[in-house]
């Protein structure tokens, strides 16, 4: 039983559901970082793969596991557990359909197991992007598709829950945490249509032998239709925490609730019609359309800057309330002793570098320097690998105690973990960025490569050192979380308390709560940005590239 | 409740530069794309990946002089090779790479001259690079293409002008 918004609602079932998602997410993260360690060591010259057979049969088998477990499973399962939790808490309502909630969880977990069998069995060593004509076992595609269908059901449940709330509160603004959660899932539902089409119309029939060939470009266009906005599906839940929980953890208030809503609406509208920025170097797409997507990519930078400002101003309000002074000195007055807050502020700090790097990736012609070099994994470990992952870790530092009713086993260990991650990632990511500028390709078993350049050798050990520090950090994390659940004796004193705002929801124009308009704008932009290219590719595709197993 | 003017001013002081920065970067991008003539690959049409051996120009991979100081490298990529894997041109040459893949997705990456293009089966890729300095320019496949992906490479050898 807990109180929320003056009402008392029993959310025990929602809490168990969140816990279930969290368990799957954490198991995936463990597999993800373990395989990451082997990759980092391989780059540093320590090839452990001969000892890892039969579990991991090659560098690329491990890399496929690494990508899928980290960015497809860990993120998705965490989000599907966390956002419904936040929504229920913020609305003070249970999920509209609890049975649907559980069916969804088991559907997603079943899909995951189905995809994991070929993946673990080395018959889906196609990396997390599974570009055809490289061909995996059909169960891999079907399993992942079931996971996506599951996310749509999560979206449905959230929409129904919001409706139930709206019926009782016809005039009020949707509470910010629920509003943001809904935007995230609506955005994802639109975005995932590309991936769903790729799976249903191309990869699944082809892997089952019903059609003879594929079209590499059409598949890539559909993949990146989803592949860019998926990063917002990962990132926005972290923003939910930064906007609605972190300000309070910092002892302050959210600076501006209306501005937060505006930036989320902009993400909803702008984050899908930009996928060609992953395909600047692809043949078959006219340069003009690539430029359109580059243009829209810069437009998404606007809500990102709004977020940066709003979140930093909120942190500052907390630090000043705690006696912080000066232009930057206030930063030291944040409650750094709270591992949840420390994790998330450090995640933001590294994310700032990730944002600058992202602008370079998006810059069309600069992209020619970095595309498919190790600069890209350097970048993505700052964004999804830290801004998202370290924030989620920070969230679990209060969420796991809250759900289990047991206090965090060791606050100090958690702080060590967080700082290890920060320094480990700084070393690791910096090294990969530099190697990328030296022309080192990504997705490559560098230690065994025939073209290893002498100048790379001086930097490669840093990949191994940074990666090892990161791995140690995650082990500390799992030990702490594990002991919290099994050994912690102290009851948890955690409350889910959302931040108040200096400028609150009552200042948000009513139009921001009008979904139809924003969804329509998003769809129109997608049709403009993708329509002509997709229509041309679909109408002319010979589907003539036969599938191959090349590993 | 009235909204504090300070908050409003702060918001505005941030919103305006937040618009100006991306717009400024976009202008820089357009200037370099059109002014400096730095291009990304465009649409060069399809080719049947199962019939490369009988489809011009991929039936004859190799390097061809197409004008004074201008060469065309017709390349086929496959698991796990480039044909040709050695390209010799004199310093100061402009080389147009016309390439495709005969099986899975590959890439063609020549770091020092910023040749960076995906080679997709079924699609023709075309990029242009200028080689001024004599020396060796390794080119590598930079998309995962199977178990021996890290062995897939070749080099452009730029010979001094005599
Ligand atoms: C102990 C921590 C980690 C280490 C040591 C590590 C190491 C690495 C290395 C060395 C690569 C480059 C492989 C290559 O390009 O050949 C890589 C790729 C990647 N990592 Fe990590 N990683 C870690 C954690 C994470 C996390 C937490 C995430 C995301 C949540 C993540 C997501 C990815 C992705 C998406 C790729 C690209 C995979 C691909 O190209 O197919 N990693 N990782
Ligand atoms: Cu993107
Ligand atoms: Cu290749």
């Amino acid at each position: 039983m807990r109180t929320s918004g003056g009402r008392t609602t029993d959310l025990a079932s929602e809490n168990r559901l969140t816990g279930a998602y969290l368990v799957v997410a954490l198991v995936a993260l463990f597999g993800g970082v373990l395989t990451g360690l082997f990759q980092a060591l391989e780059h540093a010259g320590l090839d452990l793969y001969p000892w890892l057979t039969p579990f991991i049969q090659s560098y690329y088998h491990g890399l496929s596991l690494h990508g899928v477990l980290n960015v497809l499973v860990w993120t998705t399962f965490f989000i599907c557990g966390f956002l419904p939790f936040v929504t229920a808490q913020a609305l003070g309502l249970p999920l509209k359909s609890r049975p649907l909630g559980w069916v969804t969880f088991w559907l997603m977990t079943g899909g995951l197991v189905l995809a994991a069998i070929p993946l673990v069995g080395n018959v889906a060593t196609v990396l997390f992007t599974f570009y055809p004509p490289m061909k995996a076992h059909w169960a891999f595609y079907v399993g992942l598709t079931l996971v996506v269908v599951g996310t749509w059901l999560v979206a449905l449940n959230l929409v129904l829950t919001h409706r139930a709330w709206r019926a009782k509160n016809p005039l009020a603004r949707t509470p910010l945490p629920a509003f943001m959660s809904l935007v995230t899932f609506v955005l994802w539902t639109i975005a995932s249509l590309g991936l769903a089409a790729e799976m249903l119309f191309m990869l699944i029939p082809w892997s089952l032998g019903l059609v003879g060939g594929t079209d590499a470009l059409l598949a890539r266009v559909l993949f990146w239709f989803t592949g860019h906005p998926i990063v917002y599906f990962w990132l926005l839940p972290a923003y939910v925490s930064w906007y609605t929980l972190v300000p309070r953890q910092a002892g302050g208030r959210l600076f501006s609730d209306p501005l937060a809503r505006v930036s989320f609406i902009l993400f909803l509208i702008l984050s899908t019609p930009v996928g060609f920025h992953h395909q600047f170097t692809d043949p078959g797409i006219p340069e003009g359309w690539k430029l359109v997507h580059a243009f829209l990519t810069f437009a998404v930078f606007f809500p990102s800057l709004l977020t940066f400002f709003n979140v930093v101003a909120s942190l500052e309000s907390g630090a000043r309330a705690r006696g912080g002074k000066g232009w930057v000195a206030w930063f030291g007055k944040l409650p750094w002793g709270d591992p949840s807050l420390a994790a998330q502020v450090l995640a933001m700090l590294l994310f700032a570098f990730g944002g600058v790097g992202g602008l370079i990736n998006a810059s069309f012609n600069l992209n020619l320097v970095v595309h498919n070099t190790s600069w890209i994994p350097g970048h993505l470990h700052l964004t999804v690998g830290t801004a998202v992952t370290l924030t989620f870790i920070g969230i679990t530092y209060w969420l796991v105690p809250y759900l289990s009713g047991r206090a965090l086993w060791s606050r100090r260990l958690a702080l060590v973990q967080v700082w290890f991650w920060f320094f480990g990632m700084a070393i690791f990511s910096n090294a990969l960025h530099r190697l990328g500028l030296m022309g080192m390709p990504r997705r490559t078993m560098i230690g065994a490569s025939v073209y290893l350049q002498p100048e790379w050798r001086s930097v490669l050990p840093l990949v191994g050192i940074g990666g090892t520090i990161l791995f140690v950090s995650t082990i500390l994390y799992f030990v702490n979380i594990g002991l919290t659940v099994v050994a912690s004796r102290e009851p948890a004193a955690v409350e889910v308390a959302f931040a108040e705002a200096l400028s609150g929801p009552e200042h948000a124009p009513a139009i921001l709560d009008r979904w139809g308009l924003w969804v329509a704008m998003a769809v129109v932009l997608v049709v403009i940005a993708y329509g002509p290219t997709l229509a041309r590719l679909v109408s002319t595709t010979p589907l003539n590239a036969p599938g191959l197993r090349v590993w | 409740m009235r909204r504090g003017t300070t908050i409003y001013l702060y918001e505005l002081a941030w919103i305006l530069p937040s618009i100006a920065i991306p717009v400024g970067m976009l202008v820089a991008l357009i200037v370099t794309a059109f002014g400096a003539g730095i291009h990304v690959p465009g649409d060069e049409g399809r080719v049947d990946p199962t019939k490369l051996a009988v489809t011009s120009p991929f039936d004859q991979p190799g390097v061809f002089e197409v004008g004074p100081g201008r060469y065309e490298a017709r390349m086929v990529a496959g698991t796990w090779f480039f044909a040709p894997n050695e390209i010799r041109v004199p310093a100061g040459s402009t080389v147009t790479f016309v390439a495709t893949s005969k099986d899975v997705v590959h890439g063609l990456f020549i770091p020092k001259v910023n040749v960076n293009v995906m080679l997709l089966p079924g699609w023709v890729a075309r990029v242009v690079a200028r080689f001024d300095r004599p020396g060796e320019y390794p080119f590598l496949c930079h998309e995962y293409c199977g178990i021996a992906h890290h062995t897939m490479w070749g080099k452009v050898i730029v010979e001094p002008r005599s």
Side-chain angles (χ1 to χ4, degrees):
Chain A
M1 296 282 265
R2 43 172 298 89
T3 52
S4 183
R7 280 176 302 267
T8 303
T9 319
D10 180 3
L11 296 177
S13 169
E14 280 67 20
N15 292 347
R16 272 199 305 280
L17 186 59
T18 299
Y21 275 108
L22 213 53
V23 169
V24 179
L26 289 177
V27 170
L29 180 65
F30 184 76
V33 294
L34 189 62
T35 45
L37 175 70
F38 302 142
Q39 283 149 217
L41 292 178
E42 193 281 338
H43 276 44
L46 187 60
D47 178 5
L48 293 180
Y49 293 93
W51 282 279
L52 295 171
T53 45
F55 302 106
I56 299 181
Q57 302 190 20
S58 69
Y59 180 84
Y60 302 104
H61 185 205
L63 186 56
S64 298
L65 285 162
H66 183 72
V68 171
L69 288 175
N70 279 324
V71 295
L72 300 184
V73 185
W74 149 246
T75 49
T76 305
F77 277 74
F78 185 91
I79 292 161
C80 289
F82 180 58
L83 290 191
F85 172 88
V86 165
T87 306
Q89 292 281 342
L91 298 180
L93 281 181
L95 286 181
K96 178 69 191 170
S97 171
R98 282 173 170 162
L100 176 62
W102 283 103
V103 168
T104 305
F105 170 76
W106 287 112
L107 177 73
M108 290 179 67
T109 306
L112 174 59
V113 170
L114 189 61
I117 293 169
L119 184 62
V120 170
N122 195 28
V123 287
T125 298
V126 291
L127 306 192
F128 80 99
T129 45
F130 44 84
Y131 296 138
M134 213 177 263
K135 189 172 176 180
H137 191 279
W138 61 265
F140 178 70
Y141 305 117
V142 173
L144 288 185
T145 305
L146 291 178
V147 174
V148 173
V149 172
T151 61
W152 295 343
L153 297 178
V154 176
L156 177 68
N157 219 339
L158 290 189
V159 169
L160 294 176
T161 309
H162 179 248
R163 272 213 176 163
W165 175 86
R166 177 56 84 202
K168 291 191 205 156
N169 304 270
L171 294 175
R173 295 285 172 280
T174 307
L176 188 61
F179 175 84
M180 293 181 151
S181 303
L182 274 166
V183 170
T184 307
F185 267 95
V186 171
L187 182 161
W188 166 248
T189 303
I190 299 173
S192 57
L193 295 177
L195 185 62
E198 184 194 6
M199 290 291 197
L200 294 175
F201 299 120
M202 298 181 76
L203 302 185
I204 292 177
W206 169 67
S207 63
L208 289 170
L210 303 176
V211 290
T214 55
D215 180 336
L217 182 60
L218 178 56
R220 285 166 70 87
V221 169
L222 291 172
F223 182 86
W224 288 112
F225 181 105
T226 301
H228 182 76
I230 203 176
V231 308
Y232 289 98
F233 179 56
W234 303 329
L235 201 53
L236 295 191
Y239 287 1
V240 169
S241 175
W242 296 358
Y243 271 118
T244 70
L245 291 153
V246 165
R248 180 162 210 138
Q249 290 174 283
R253 295 206 271 170
L254 170 62
F255 183 73
S256 167
D257 170 300
L259 203 59
R261 288 173 202 258
V262 168
S263 61
F264 264 57
I265 290 290
L266 287 171
F267 283 125
L268 172 64
I269 297 172
L270 293 170
S271 61
T272 304
V274 295
F276 288 173
H277 72 216
H278 293 262
Q279 299 185 277
F280 284 155
T281 66
D282 277 18
I285 302 174
E287 207 177 354
W289 281 115
K290 292 179 179 173
L291 198 60
V292 170
H293 283 227
F295 178 86
L296 287 165
T297 304
F298 281 101
V300 198
F301 193 47
F302 175 53
S304 311
L305 283 172
L306 293 186
T307 298
F308 175 75
F309 163 65
N310 213 343
V311 168
V312 172
S314 310
L315 285 178
E316 185 178 341
S317 84
R320 292 211 186 280
R322 298 166 52 88
K325 301 242 155 22
W327 278 88
V328 274
W330 58 263
F331 202 64
K333 280 280 182 196
L334 289 169
W336 287 101
D338 170 6
S340 175
L341 181 103
Q344 298 187 64
V345 173
L346 292 178
M348 293 172 199
L349 213 60
L350 286 178
F351 186 50
F353 293 97
V356 175
L359 278 174
I360 292 178
N361 306 343
S363 298
F364 212 50
N365 24 44
L366 281 179
N367 180 270
L368 292 179
V369 181
V370 297
H371 175 77
N372 265 8
T373 68
S374 71
W375 167 286
I376 303 298
H379 167 73
L380 64 85
H381 285 93
L382 291 181
T383 51
V384 66
T386 296
V388 174
T389 298
L390 191 53
T391 294
F392 289 180
I393 285 178
I395 291 169
T396 58
Y397 279 142
W398 61 260
L399 184 58
V400 169
Y402 176 80
L403 294 175
S404 65
R406 293 154 181 263
L408 187 64
W409 187 69
S410 165
R411 203 171 54 94
R412 203 175 283 167
L413 190 64
L415 282 171
V416 172
Q417 181 273 317
V418 165
W419 284 98
F420 264 48
W421 190 285
F422 179 76
F423 286 112
M425 188 52 83
I427 297 170
F428 173 78
S429 162
N430 177 274
L432 284 179
H433 275 95
R434 277 159 58 200
L435 287 160
L437 292 180
M438 295 177 185
M440 189 178 94
R442 68 182 283 203
R443 316 188 118 177
T444 302
M445 190 176 182
I446 290 299
S449 74
V450 287
Y451 41 71
L452 210 169
Q453 303 289 310
E455 54 168 352
W456 301 349
R457 285 193 198 278
S458 56
V459 186
L460 280 168
L462 293 176
V463 176
I465 293 169
T468 306
I469 298 175
L470 279 169
F471 182 73
V472 171
S473 164
T474 32
I475 294 305
L476 299 182
Y477 171 68
F478 283 109
V479 166
N480 208 350
I481 292 294
L483 288 176
T484 300
V485 176
V486 301
S488 176
R489 292 279 163 263
E490 241 177 282
V494 191
E495 257 202 83
V496 184
F498 295 110
E500 289 169 21
L502 288 166
S503 168
E506 66 280 5
H507 296 130
I511 191 162
L512 289 176
D513 243 351
R514 294 260 304 279
W515 292 87
L517 176 66
W518 308 120
V519 172
M521 283 178 71
V523 170
V524 167
L525 261 188
V526 168
V527 170
I528 294 175
Y530 270 108
T533 304
L534 268 179
R536 176 174 62 89
L537 290 178
V538 170
S539 64
T540 61
T541 185
L543 289 180
N544 61 353
L548 284 167
R549 175 173 170 172
V550 286
W551 64 92
Chain B
M1 188 171 52
R2 241 179 57 83
R3 207 160 117 85
T5 332
T6 0
I7 291 200
Y8 180 73
L9 286 178
Y10 270 119
E11 280 178 2
L12 208 64
W14 185 261
I15 289 174
L16 296 180
S18 298
I19 295 176
I21 294 172
V23 169
M25 299 207 42
L26 193 72
V27 170
L29 189 152
I30 290 173
V31 168
T32 45
F34 293 98
I38 304 174
H39 288 285
V40 299
D43 184 11
E44 306 289 337
R46 293 182 189 263
V47 58
D48 187 337
T50 59
K51 300 204 173 66
L52 292 184
V54 293
T55 311
S56 168
F58 301 109
D59 51 347
Q60 279 189 321
V63 191
F64 302 87
E65 187 163 7
V66 291
R70 287 177 33 237
Y71 294 82
E72 188 170 285
R74 298 167 189 165
M75 296 177 82
V76 173
T79 49
W80 290 276
F81 67 87
F82 285 106
N85 64 4
E86 196 177 292
I87 293 171
R88 282 179 188 274
V89 290
S93 302
T94 303
V95 181
T96 302
F97 296 84
V98 182
T100 191
S101 159
K102 67 181 281 285
D103 41 48
V104 294
V105 177
H106 298 278
L108 174 64
F109 180 40
I110 316 181
K112 295 183 203 164
V113 291
N114 291 337
V115 167
N116 192 328
V117 63
M118 304 311 298
L119 305 180
L120 310 181
W123 293 89
V124 180
R126 176 190 296 269
V127 285
V128 182
R130 211 184 135 84
F131 295 87
D132 281 326
R133 295 248 220 95
E136 287 194 358
Y137 296 74
F139 55 83
L140 23 126
C141 171
H142 67 346
E143 181 56 81
Y144 166 63
C145 57
I147 196 74
H149 157 57
H150 48 275
T151 62
M152 186 168 161
W153 77 313
K155 51 189 156 187
V156 179
I157 298 169
V158 179
E159 294 167 332
R161 276 193 178 276
S162 44

